[in-house]
Every structure is written in structure tokens, then in C-alpha cells.
Amino acid sequence: EMSAQSLVKPTAAISPFRVVQHTCPNCGHPELQVFFEVRNVPVHSCLMMPTQQEALDFPCADVVLGVCEHCGFVTNTEFDPKWSAYAPNYEDQQSFSPTFNKFALDLANGLIDKYDLHNKDIVEIGCSKGDFLVLMCELGPNRGVGIDPSAVIGRVKSEATERIQFIQDYYSEKYADRSGDFICCRHTLEHIYGTQELVSTVRRSIGDRLDTIVFFEIPDMGRVLKDLAFEDIYYEHCSYFTPGSLGRLFRSCGFEVMDVYLAYGEQYLLIEARPVAEPSEKVHPNEESVSQLLADVKHFASEIDAKLNSWKQYLQDAQDNGKRVVVWGSGSKCVAFLTTIGMTDQVQYIVDINPHRHGKFIPGVGKEIMSPEFLKEYQPDEVIVMNAIYCPEIQQMLDDMGVKTKLIPF
């Protein structure tokens, strides 16, 4: 058993940061500076395990974040792509939440209006279960191709599915002929180690069709650094972007950045770009400089230990006082939260609204995922909400069930 103390390395001591010889996958710079390390975390947080033992025996590896002082990109220097096996039991569907659905609907409508996507061909790289692609094809109406090894054909019911082809595979050069009028890629690039390689492949697939629009969406690392949001750092996410490093990547791969902005409670980073024949020099006003990014990294490194220790203390006190504490949200944030502070025994139950997760066990944590209904009998004292954006939605569900408890937004 790893103790919580040995799990969390005192990162504040690494200043100046430890320099490692490691090529930046974003710009090719030969060195990175390590500023945050967490050992022995599960290599997947959304693969649901059928038994507690399998969850506890789940393979673990290390997160050692390094920043590139040349382009501002952050990556896990210890990442091993052999663990990136996405399959249909990779359960990351978020469309059971009305809050998330409203965001996706507004986003799809906005993109369709802005780029006149009607009767067009939409390609989605990393389409997961197909929710967003189906939406884009319904609203257009448009035709679609979704490429993702974890695609479950028929999971999303819609008349639009007859105009959509799902390919259960990883995106690569062999799908370069599927370029379409609009290429989108949401919450996939952060799972890809070779970021420049992927964006260059997309650019090559477009060739000289310069009216193709490209749209990517990923988590924003700027917020993680400023707010010390360590729950958004986990093994599957090997690549961490801010507006600046994302803009620099797209320009280096032959795109012009039309817009780069934050959404969804400022948690998500979105970029709209178009291919250009000559390299673009146009820097968007939302892009921060590399020196600003490095200052944010220093802030994170010097303050993170205090935050980790305060959460450890909080959970220990709750356990000592016999409080029933439940975590709401069984996804990656929950896994990162409990494994980074090494406090998996202090929380008894995890709740999630995704029915495909109920009765399954969380990798590396070993807790069973319960449905919200379970709280009626359990009557927790406190509920830690992993993503504060869902608090109103959760409060409503608790009120409807007659569960009186205190919500603690993470």
C-alpha cells in the first residue's frame, strides 16, 4: 500500500525545475522542465471494471508533467502509449446531463450557423459514442463520418444515423481521404501524445481544399494552473494546452487561427482554424505569451502542496468525525482527486447519473458506482461535487428525492 505521503511528491521544492532531455511533441524543442509529479495512478479512469478486485488490481503508472519553455506546451514525460487502448467499455458519455446537453446543442447550432453547415460532410475524429456528430447531422441536416475505437454503433438513437458512417478505429493517414467540409475533434487531442503529428495529418488530409473548417475542443490547462485544479490532471491526458500553445501548434501545422476561446465554465478550450497556403503569423488576442504561461506554472508548483494537504485533512477529519461523505461524479476528475491525494478509504461511495456505470467499479480506487437513488437510503452528510457546473442540476435531483445534504463544489 502506498501511503498518501509517498504518493504526493513535494513539488514546491523543484524550483528551479528539473530539466529533462525530452523532445517536446508539440514543437520539437529538446528539453522540458518538470514541475509536478504523481506516482502510481491508474492508467485509465473511464474504463469501468466489473469487480472490485479488478478495479484495485488495475495497472498504474506515473504522471510527471514537464513544460516546454519554447512553446508553452505541457506533457506527461512518463506517458506510455501502450496504455491508450480505448474500447467500447471506455465509458465517457456525458449526454446524461441536461447541463452538458445544453452546451453541446448551443455549440452545434453556433457552428452550423457560423459556417453554413447545411447538407455538408462532417468528419469527427474521436467521436466517442457519436452524440455530437449525430447532433451536427440532425441539425444541418448533414452527412457524417465518425472515427473512434470506442464507438458503439446504435448507442445514440436518431434518424440521422443512416447518414453517418462509424469507423471503429484510431484516426490516421489511412483516413486522410475523409476530409469533409468541416472536421471536428472534441476531447481527443489531450489523449494524443504526438500532438503535432495528429494536427499535421489533418492538414495533409485537407490538401488544397482551403475552405474546410477545423474545430478542436480540449480542456484548458490555464485554469488548471491558476486554480490549482489537480483533479484535471490524469494519466490518459498526456497533452495539456493553453490558448497560446494551441494557437502556436495550429500555425506551425499550416492553419490560420480564426478564433480561440474558453467555454463551459471556462473549463474547455476551443479553437476554430482554416488551412492556409502560406504560413500564418496571425496571433489571436486570447493567446497568452510563453512567459505568462511559465509564471502560471511556477504559481501552480509553489501552491499545489498546500491544496493537496488541505483536502487530505478535510477527508481525514470527516472520517474521524463519522461523517458520511459521498463523491458525485465517477469520471476522471474523481479518480484524479482520490488517487492524487491517496485518500481512497475516506470516501465510501461514488454516485453517477450515467446508467452504464452503475454497479461497476472505479479503476485504481475500487469503489462501486451507485445511482443517485441510492442516496435516499444512505442519507450522506456531505456530497463533494467534482464539477461545480453541475451543482444546480444535482441540487434539483436531491430536492426531488427528499435528500437533505450539504453540497461541496470541488
Side-chain angles (χ1 to χ4, degrees):
E1 284 284 297
M2 298 284 289
S3 72
Q5 276 61 39
S6 62
L7 257 176
V8 182
K9 292 283 162 84
T11 50
I14 317 177
S15 189
F17 304 137
R18 179 162 65 84
V19 174
V20 292
Q21 297 303 308
H22 191 104
T23 303
C24 173
N26 218 51
C27 75
H29 188 68
E31 300 180 332
L32 297 174
Q33 299 187 11
V34 169
F35 66 94
F36 182 62
E37 307 183 38
V38 192
R39 302 287 171 183
N40 285 322
V41 297
V43 294
H44 266 289
S45 22
C46 292
L47 279 177
M48 298 294 103
M49 295 291 108
T51 67
Q52 184 173 40
Q53 199 52 52
E54 284 174 87
L56 291 171
D57 293 342
F58 201 78
C60 288
D62 300 335
V63 171
V64 178
L65 293 190
V67 61
C68 174
E69 61 179 357
H70 186 255
C71 76
F73 180 64
V74 173
T75 188
N76 177 9
T77 60
E78 296 288 314
F79 182 74
D80 186 339
K82 78 171 181 194
W83 296 118
S84 296
Y86 295 95
N89 64 331
Y90 187 80
E91 196 52 69
D92 63 345
Q93 200 175 7
Q94 289 173 288
S95 55
F96 298 98
S97 155
T99 307
F100 188 81
N101 287 345
K102 183 181 182 315
F103 166 66
L105 182 63
D106 291 348
L107 179 64
N109 274 319
L111 291 167
I112 285 168
D113 290 348
K114 188 168 180 182
Y115 296 112
D116 187 22
L117 300 174
H118 301 282
N119 297 302
K120 298 283 173 66
D121 290 296
I122 313 279
V123 174
E124 185 172 12
I125 298 167
C127 63
S128 184
K129 306 294 181 258
D131 297 282
F132 189 70
L133 184 60
V134 166
L135 204 52
M136 293 291 286
C137 291
E138 276 176 356
L139 298 168
N142 293 300
R143 298 168 295 277
V145 175
I147 305 168
D148 193 310
S150 76
V152 176
I153 292 146
R155 166 77 74 87
V156 183
K157 305 283 179 255
S158 164
E159 55 78 31
T161 50
E162 59 202 45
R163 298 193 301 278
I164 298 173
Q165 180 194 7
F166 287 107
I167 300 172
Q168 279 178 316
D169 198 1
Y170 293 96
Y171 178 77
S172 66
E173 292 285 356
K174 71 175 163 184
Y175 300 115
D177 59 329
R178 313 298 177 104
S179 114
D181 302 294
F182 183 84
I183 300 176
C184 59
C185 179
R186 299 176 69 227
H187 299 278
T188 298
L189 188 61
E190 67 271 27
H191 297 256
I192 305 288
Y193 182 76
T195 49
Q196 190 177 46
E197 192 183 343
L198 180 92
V199 176
S200 297
T201 302
V202 172
R203 177 64 190 89
R204 280 195 299 276
S205 81
I206 295 170
D208 54 11
R209 291 187 292 276
L210 300 182
D211 48 0
T212 302
I213 299 296
V214 176
F215 168 78
F216 275 62
E217 177 185 323
I218 46 181
D220 174 46
M221 186 59 172
R223 182 189 65 89
V224 172
L225 296 172
K226 293 184 191 89
D227 297 353
L228 312 175
F230 69 90
E231 75 280 9
D232 281 322
I233 296 171
Y234 35 90
Y235 195 82
E236 301 106 297
H237 283 191
C238 47
S239 299
Y240 298 87
F241 286 95
T242 54
S245 57
L246 190 61
R248 287 184 274 277
L249 169 64
F250 271 76
R251 278 190 295 279
S252 75
C253 294
F255 289 96
E256 177 189 331
V257 177
M258 298 156 75
D259 203 359
V260 59
Y261 54 101
L262 301 178
Y264 209 55
E266 307 229 311
Q267 296 180 42
Y268 294 167
L269 170 59
L270 297 80
I271 190 167
E272 296 166 20
R274 63 186 186 98
V276 283
E278 297 295 319
S280 167
E281 299 295 319
K282 200 175 86 179
V283 175
H284 194 277
N286 290 344
E287 295 181 38
E288 83 293 339
S289 66
V290 176
S291 58
Q292 175 58 55
L293 181 274
L294 293 173
D296 292 340
V297 166
K298 287 200 171 86
H299 161 75
F300 179 91
S302 61
E303 304 291 329
I304 189 62
D305 279 354
K307 180 160 184 184
L308 296 176
N309 288 328
S310 71
W311 271 108
K312 277 191 226 177
Q313 194 62 53
Y314 170 83
L315 288 178
Q316 193 57 57
D317 291 348
Q319 188 183 41
D320 294 347
N321 295 321
K323 275 189 183 172
R324 296 176 174 207
V325 177
V326 165
V327 171
W328 190 300
S330 65
S332 309
K333 288 175 192 277
C334 165
V335 176
F337 168 46
L338 295 174
T339 55
T340 302
I341 61 173
M343 302 287 273
T344 52
D345 297 335
Q346 283 71 13
V347 171
Q348 295 316 310
Y349 293 102
I350 315 288
V351 168
D352 203 290
I353 58 170
N354 182 342
H356 299 287
R357 288 171 166 260
H358 298 160
K360 307 269 190 357
F361 294 83
I362 299 183
V365 176
K367 300 292 172 192
E368 185 178 355
I369 302 167
M370 314 302 281
S371 81
E373 295 286 310
F374 163 77
L375 299 181
K376 285 198 228 180
E377 51 177 296
Y378 189 63
Q379 293 292 335
D381 297 297
E382 291 179 358
V383 175
I384 299 172
V385 180
M386 287 316 307
N387 193 338
I389 205 165
Y390 297 122
C391 280
E393 182 182 306
I394 291 168
Q395 188 64 63
Q396 185 63 55
M397 288 177 80
L398 292 170
D399 292 347
D400 293 347
M401 292 191 296
V403 175
K404 297 263 186 288
T405 186
K406 182 179 174 196
L407 287 190
I408 314 277
F410 191 82

